[in-house]
Amino acid sequence: MGMSLMDRRVLLKAGAGLGAMLPGIAGVSAPALSQGANARTLRFVPQANLANFDPIWGSQYVVRNAAALVWDTLYGVDEQIRPQRQMVESEEASPDGLTWTFRLRQGMKFHDGEPVLAKDAVASLKRWAVRDPMGQMILTIQNELVAVDDRTFRWSLKAPYPKMLLALAKNNAPCSFVMPERIAKTDPFQQIGEYVGSGPYRFVRNEWVPGAKAVFERFADYVPRDEPASWLAGGKRALIDRIEWVIMPDPATASAALQNGEVDWWENPITDLVPTLKRNRNIVVDIADPLGNIGAFRMNPLPPPFNDVRARRAVLQAMSQEDYMQALVGEDRNLWKTLPSFFTPGTPIYSEAGGEILKGRRDYDAAKRMLAEAGYKGEPITIVVAQDQPITKAFGDVSADLLKRMGMNVDFVATDWGTVGSRRALKTPPSQGGWHIFHTWHAGADCINPAAYTAIRANGDGAWFGWPKSDSVEAARDAWFAAPDIPAEKIAMDRLNKEAMDFGLYAPTGFFLSYQAWRRNVSGVVKGPLPFFWGVSKS
Amino acid sequence: MLAYTLRRIVATIPVMAVVALFVFSLLYISPGDPAAVIAGDQATPADVERIRASLGLDRPYLVRFAEWAWNIMRGDLGTSIFTNLPVSTMIQQRIEPTLSLMIITLILAVCIAVPMGVIAAWKNGTWIDRLVMGFAVLGFSVPVFVVGYLLAYVFALELDWLPVQGYTPLSRGVWPWFQNLILPAIALGGVYIALIARITRATMLEVLQQDYIRTARAKGVAQPGILFLHALKNAAVPIVTVIGIGVALLIGGAVVTESVFAIPGLGRLTVDAILRRDYPVIQGVILLFSFTYVLVNLIIDLLYTLFDPRIRY
């Protein structure tokens, strides 16, 4: 029991690797279902436990992913990251951009048989807006949000909000899922008690065993759009009758279960086990999300020495993203790249402006000089590192080494993610329970632009952990929201990336991808920021 | 006997009260925040604070403890912070797999370990004795998850005889239920078998030196009769005691075993709850485990009278 997860992984990797070489591993041990029933049931191993099921109250990705099966959205982003109509049939913006009128599609029903009405959309948007960064922006300029008739609702504003459709379509949690009015009236900071949506699958609550299993069944009355499915947009055609989410805390067990045919699709196989899975001819392994993830660590700008921008920039000057990425992903260069930016590479308005500090030769001497200029005198630097998350553990080890090379006195606090979550919220000095540095990562889908990018804020007390304050960063962010077109957005992004880099808002440790794996008899799996089950079938 | 049993049952109340106080206080002072976990990584500090307030986690220690203790006394274990389900419902969902695993392990361990210990004592100093003791050392030394992985590799991946993971309720048939428990029970039972086998051997060695054993031999009682009727019964008290103490081992081992074999039992529920800081669930499960342990020891104490008539309560 004293061995770490990594040690156990290494142990089973050897066993699982041998198992993969054996021909004809068949799933005789799968639960006793007829072949037809088996083909109609998809067993999926999600990235984490589905511990709650309110996508507004809890904004974990796993909740968002499950919610996308059960609740539909007014709009949805497609794989070009463009908002497309989903529950909405048409919309109309007034010429001054102050009034948006939306008309819902006809014939939509909730899983309890009730029709989807405009009042449901209004109540859902009101609840969502309280919790969502873009929704909160809309609330500050809102006049009213009202249902006009059963299928029409109107959102009137005091100032134009050009990103309205993106706000309603984005896949970043919380998404603007539409719930029945009676449920959507729940306080946004309280959990809902009913799970009734209008999406392609309904949640089978009586089979839900939190931490073990969640079951979704095809909703017969769902009417998909005519367009082909594309991420959250288009026709969400449910081809599988029943989807079972099987929670597996141990990656080695998930790997063995996939090889043995006991599960069909594994959302996030760990890198160590991927070679074993790739050798199995019954399994397909591919990139999960082309938008990947951005690794990060935040330096707390409240206590010294990081209250001085020179100290933060000294770290940026010295850090090697290659070190971070190799510690996490290894030598597979298909899975990572360096990132002189805060934004997701390969996306339309990606910018590297101001990112020179992260490029080229790493200069520890220059970094030491900058630290001295910032007044650093050897006080302990408290790095809080979650050891139960492979990503943060790898990053934490590299950061500790980096700071030591820079001549800093490292106070390495090895703990778990739950503790990091509470400790990073403390503003007290590090010696009294606060922190200097913590590590995390951001989904690339959240970092395409500033829309839902909480970590890019620099509005002091309202900002993300560390509470950075920079008027120039905030002004650049505002410029993006006001940008009327893509060229103007690009200019705003250049400015924002440069300002944030100059400020040392946080330290990007690189861009990395991850894999997903599924049995070869499953088809229709696509790459995307979340697992999309519509269009997936099983033979 | 009845009076003693009642006294012991009443005595569990202060024990459980101390456990309750200890568990609540430990969780209160331990770092971590369920509100931060609920809010997700992208939530702002203000969101986390609002959720914490809505959960009542910002209230003083004494207020929270008094409320919780009052509910416990009324039989209400509270509601999970995350799932919004009553803790009693969550325990009910998870108790069958854990109970099944523990019972199968217990039966397996006793059926294997007791004969092993008896035979080792009988063949004291021979290669059989050394083999049994070697196995016992191995059972103590190899972690449960290592045994679990090896069993899964051999019997599930390579031979394809048994499933890698999961649990099938008994209501769906005895064999489906049993086949999911075979590998976990063997993995979990290793240390338990080792413990019982060693105690059985040691006690049997002592008993086999007694005069009445020599008398039995002189009277021509066959060796199996000597070992299992005369000696084992007199060696039973320490063996039964260690079986009872070993329940704690089973509870601890179930946490690991259930994770390795993805069994949706109380062990996994506990680990998940600890990682998320789901305080009501942690408190409820630990109270249940503590009560089980106290109860098992009471049963063991009562069983003494069956094996040794000199013991009176």
Side-chain angles (χ1 to χ4, degrees), chain B residues 46 79 92 158 176 191 225 232-233 276 289 303:
Chain B
T79 302
Q92 207 179 325
E158 187 166 358
V191 64
L232 185 58
K233 190 178 177 190
R276 290 196 307 263
F289 282 152
L303 282 176

Side-chain angles (χ1 to χ4, degrees), chain A residues 8 12 15 18 26 49 51-52 58-60 189 191 208 210-211 247 250 253 262 416 419 422 424 440 454 464 467, chain B residues 32-33 37-39 41-43 45 50 54 81-83 93-94 145 149 153 160 164-165 260 264 268 276-277:
Chain A
R8 290 190 286 130
L12 199 77
L18 286 168
N49 173 22
N52 72 80
S59 59
Q60 302 98 327
F189 290 91
Q191 196 176 166
W208 182 33
I247 318 298
D250 191 311
T253 307
E262 292 174 37
D416 70 336
T419 304
S422 59
R424 69 183 180 183
T440 187
T454 321
W464 210 50
W467 309 274
Chain B
D33 183 0
V37 180
I38 290 162
D41 197 41
Q42 303 304 315
R50 286 280 303 269
S54 75
I81 290 173
F82 286 82
T83 64
Q93 284 178 332
R94 305 296 197 100
F145 69 85
Y149 286 149
Y153 164 63
D160 205 10
V164 172
Q165 53 81 41
V260 169
R268 265 181 66 194
R276 290 196 307 263
R277 309 294 195 270

Side-chain angles (χ1 to χ4, degrees), chain A residues 111-123:
Chain A
H111 300 158
D112 58 4
E114 293 296 315
V116 177
L117 303 176
K119 66 177 184 176
D120 301 310
V122 167

